[in-house]
Amino acid sequence: MVSSINPALKGIAVLIPGILLSFSFDIFTPLVFLLFMVVFTFLFSGISIKKWLLFFSPFILLACGFAWMTMLYTSESFAGGDRLFSVWQFDVTTGAVMVGISLALRSLCFVSLSLLFILTTDSTKFMLSLMQQLKLPPKITFGILAGYRFLPAFRHEFQVLKQAHRIRGMGRAKGLKGRVQQFRRYAIPLMANAIRKAERVANAMESKGFTGSAERTHYHKMKIKGKDWAFFSVINGGLIITLALSYYLGYLNIFGFQFS
């Protein structure tokens, strides 16, 4: 299962295709890689189809919006071909349609890669992996972890503040000035509580011997095993095969340069 893969290596494995696909301007390459990622996600990630579609579906509308705006405002260097139709003073050509669809498919590829990482990665293991494999300083790692753990507490405090204000007769603010004043009423006590919590956490960590030094032992040791490299090879191998197939069939287009 993808959830057992080392988080740091998993992040690098999905980041490389995301960067390389951004240079592809044809339709075939991102379409084939998107299909590959969908099949891989459903077969090996353990994510249910319903849950994946719940997160993925809104981005389809966003990608369609990207495609439409790109068709209308395509650069002259990519807007070649026959004119298909006009919207006000904008002419939509075959080249603009190709670039727009390519951008939409690339966006969906980024989303599928991101969902594969986000929905299968434990945040604590990810930070520990960044510290142990990528040598991220412990001060930054534990600071991010502490902040992440406090988010539910802040949400609870915010609800308590809203209820306290409502009991005192302060309802929903109206107008821009009222909303700014309401924001100040909520923000100041929340920030004061956040500072108090941060001081307590810092004191607790120092009392237990935390100095921020990189030379430290770890109770949870994150290691890179053979299955982690297998995951890396499959994801990036899928991209290489897609690029090779696209080149062989004459579809590969990098920044407007057609390989054939």
Side-chain angles (χ1 to χ4, degrees):
M1 286 295 180
V2 180
S3 57
S4 64
I5 301 299
N6 182 281
L9 191 62
K10 190 198 304 181
I12 296 173
V14 301
L15 184 63
I16 292 174
I19 294 174
L20 294 180
L21 278 174
S22 63
F23 299 108
S24 171
F25 277 65
D26 61 280
I27 294 177
F28 182 83
T29 306
L31 176 62
V32 172
F33 189 74
L34 177 61
L35 293 175
F36 165 74
M37 284 306 304
V38 172
V39 172
F40 182 88
T41 300
F42 290 152
L43 289 180
F44 301 105
S45 69
I47 305 170
S48 67
I49 296 176
K50 183 179 178 181
K51 183 179 180 181
W52 189 84
L53 288 175
L54 184 66
F55 285 98
F56 187 80
S57 301
F59 291 100
I60 296 177
L61 294 176
L62 193 64
C64 291
F66 286 158
W68 176 246
M69 294 304 294
T70 304
M71 289 178 195
L72 296 180
Y73 294 100
T74 305
S75 169
E76 292 183 358
S77 56
F78 294 102
D82 300 329
R83 186 172 69 88
L84 297 176
F85 57 91
S86 297
V87 179
W88 290 311
Q89 72 271 29
F90 302 104
D91 293 331
V92 178
T93 63
T94 53
V97 172
M98 298 281 283
V99 172
I101 296 174
S102 175
L103 176 64
L105 290 172
R106 274 181 281 151
S107 304
L108 294 178
C109 285
F110 303 150
V111 174
S112 65
L113 288 165
S114 301
L115 288 181
L116 179 66
F117 180 79
I118 294 170
L119 297 179
T120 62
T121 303
D122 180 82
S123 58
T124 302
K125 290 182 178 178
F126 178 51
M127 298 310 298
L128 290 175
S129 180
L130 288 179
M131 185 166 53
Q132 296 179 34
Q133 270 76 56
L134 300 185
K135 306 304 178 187
L136 190 69
K139 284 185 178 179
I140 297 176
T141 307
F142 286 109
I144 294 173
L145 269 178
Y148 180 76
R149 296 294 185 193
F150 279 144
L151 287 179
F154 290 147
R155 186 187 305 164
H156 175 71
E157 288 179 5
F158 178 64
Q159 294 298 331
V160 171
L161 271 175
K162 285 177 66 177
Q163 292 172 1
H165 286 188
R166 198 171 299 166
I167 290 172
R168 292 168 186 168
M170 305 180 72
R172 186 184 296 273
K174 296 180 180 178
L176 180 60
K177 186 177 179 181
R179 291 182 185 279
V180 171
Q181 290 176 345
Q182 186 183 49
F183 175 77
R184 290 181 60 189
R185 287 199 302 271
Y186 290 148
I188 292 174
L190 283 175
M191 288 182 66
N193 281 335
I195 292 171
R196 287 196 201 102
K197 287 180 183 295
E199 287 179 349
R200 290 173 192 157
V201 171
N203 291 333
M205 293 175 73
E206 288 180 4
S207 67
K208 295 182 182 300
F210 179 78
T211 61
S213 172
E215 300 297 328
R216 55 180 291 118
T217 58
H218 299 279
Y219 180 74
H220 295 286
K221 293 185 178 179
M222 306 297 295
K223 296 181 179 179
I224 296 179
K225 303 176 182 177
K227 64 179 181 180
D228 304 319
W229 287 114
F231 172 82
F232 182 90
S233 302
V234 169
I235 295 295
N236 289 279
L239 177 65
I240 292 172
I241 293 173
T242 301
L243 291 172
L245 185 63
S246 180
Y247 174 77
Y248 178 75
L249 296 177
Y251 291 114
L252 187 61
N253 186 317
I254 304 295
F255 266 127
F257 183 80
Q258 187 75 36
F259 290 85
S260 59

